[in-house]
């Protein structure tokens, strides 16, 4: 397996070698200095029980794409690989969302539909992975870059099978809502760095929370 060395766009912050033959199985006793708490860390775990710290965090963004710098580099690598595979032209439906945008979106949904429905439509401000700049909703130009029906496309199949090579995971896999708090979202990819995405792939682990030994986050705790 060939791992694009610079897919992460940054020097690795952890010690394992991407593509090492020994699976790196992390968890509560992870031997590597992964950082899933700091908002700027590529490994940060944000979910309904783990808001960003600070709540109003803003990443350093790429010059051209609405993404944190390492995620933008990874996105470009995925886009090129998908084009080379001939399964579609990747496009970015939604990347970084600011705390202010998330606040107005959530409050609008809240006033229109009430809390239960609003929580299905938008994350609480400060609790959206999109605010890290590391999460991307993708589609293809063939779908007008809309996410509806993306899961049924060849591009989505290719993405699910290959995106780990470029430092991404499908963050909300099918059947894992009890851990992630989100329904299956085949379009939502999350940059975690090549070392983590390859280690998860090698370990057969698809849930980021479980990989790091963190508790399930099925719903908001407050
Ligand atoms: Zn998303």
């Amino acid at each position: 397996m060939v791992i694009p060395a610079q897919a992460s766009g940054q020097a690795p912050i952890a010690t394992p070698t991407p593509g090492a033959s020994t699976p790196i199985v992390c968890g509560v006793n992870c031997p590597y200095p992964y950082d899933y708490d700091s908002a700027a860390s590529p490994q940060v775990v944000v979910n309904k029980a783990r808001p960003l710290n600070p709540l109003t965090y803003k990443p350093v963004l790429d010059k051209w794409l609405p993404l944190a710098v390492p995620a933008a580099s990874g996105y470009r690598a995925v886009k090129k690989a998908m084009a080379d595979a001939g399964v579609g032209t990747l496009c970015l439906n939604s990347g970084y969302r600011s705390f202010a945008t998330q606040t107005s979106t959530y409050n609008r949904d809240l006033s229109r539909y009430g809390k239960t429905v609003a929580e299905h439509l938008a994350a609480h401000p400060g609790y959206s992975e999109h605010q890290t700049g590391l999460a991307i909703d993708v589609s293809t130009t063939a779908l007008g870059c809309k996410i509806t029906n993306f899961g049924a496309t060849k591009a989505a199949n290719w993405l699910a099978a290959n995106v780990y090579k470029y430092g991404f995971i499908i963050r909300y896999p099918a059947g894992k809502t009890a851990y992630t708090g989100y329904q299956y979202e085949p379009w939502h990819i999350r940059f975690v760095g090549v070392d983590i995405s390859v280690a998860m792939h090698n370990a057969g682990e698809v849930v980021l929370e479980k990989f790091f030994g963190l508790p399930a986050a099925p719903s908001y705790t407050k």
Side-chain angles (χ1 to χ4, degrees):
M1 182 174 61
V2 178
I3 304 297
Q6 283 310 312
S8 71
Q10 274 193 340
I13 63 163
T15 50
T17 308
S21 55
T22 308
I24 306 153
V25 180
C26 271
V28 285
N29 298 315
C30 180
Y32 303 109
Y34 294 143
D35 178 357
Y36 45 72
D37 291 325
S38 301
S41 166
Q43 297 115 22
V44 66
V45 178
V46 177
N47 60 33
K48 291 176 178 177
R50 295 174 54 88
L52 279 156
N53 180 20
L55 268 188
T56 55
Y57 170 76
K58 182 181 182 200
V60 176
L61 296 174
D62 184 74
K63 260 187 223 164
W64 294 278
L65 296 170
L67 297 173
V69 171
S73 301
Y75 172 81
R76 291 185 179 98
V78 175
K79 182 168 179 158
K80 180 179 186 310
M82 182 182 276
D84 290 349
V87 293
T89 303
L90 194 70
C91 54
L92 192 155
N93 172 283
S94 179
Y96 168 66
R97 288 178 212 152
S98 70
F99 179 82
T101 298
Q102 197 69 26
T103 301
S104 59
T105 302
Y106 179 74
N107 286 341
R108 183 199 62 199
D109 291 347
L110 188 64
S111 64
R112 275 189 195 165
Y113 309 115
K115 189 169 182 179
T116 306
V117 174
E119 284 187 344
H120 276 285
L121 297 175
H124 288 188
Y127 288 72
S128 172
E129 201 175 53
H130 281 279
Q131 196 183 321
T132 65
L134 299 168
I136 320 174
D137 295 338
V138 296
S139 184
T140 65
T141 52
L143 290 179
C145 213
K146 294 199 168 72
I147 56 175
T148 313
N149 298 327
F150 175 68
T153 63
K154 265 191 276 182
N157 285 340
W158 182 90
L159 200 68
N162 294 284
V163 81
Y164 78 93
K165 298 172 189 170
Y166 307 94
F168 288 90
I169 58 171
I170 305 291
R171 177 68 173 95
Y172 305 124
K176 302 297 181 186
T177 307
Y179 289 98
T180 65
Y182 289 86
Q183 303 285 325
Y184 179 39
E185 292 192 2
W187 56 82
H188 180 111
I189 61 174
R190 159 66 201 274
F191 186 83
V192 291
V194 173
D195 47 355
I196 301 291
S197 60
V198 169
M200 287 179 71
H201 177 81
N202 289 346
E205 181 55 74
V206 296
V207 177
L208 191 60
E209 283 82 358
K210 286 176 79 178
F211 182 76
F212 284 128
L214 293 168
S219 55
Y220 290 104
T221 49
K222 55 183 175 184

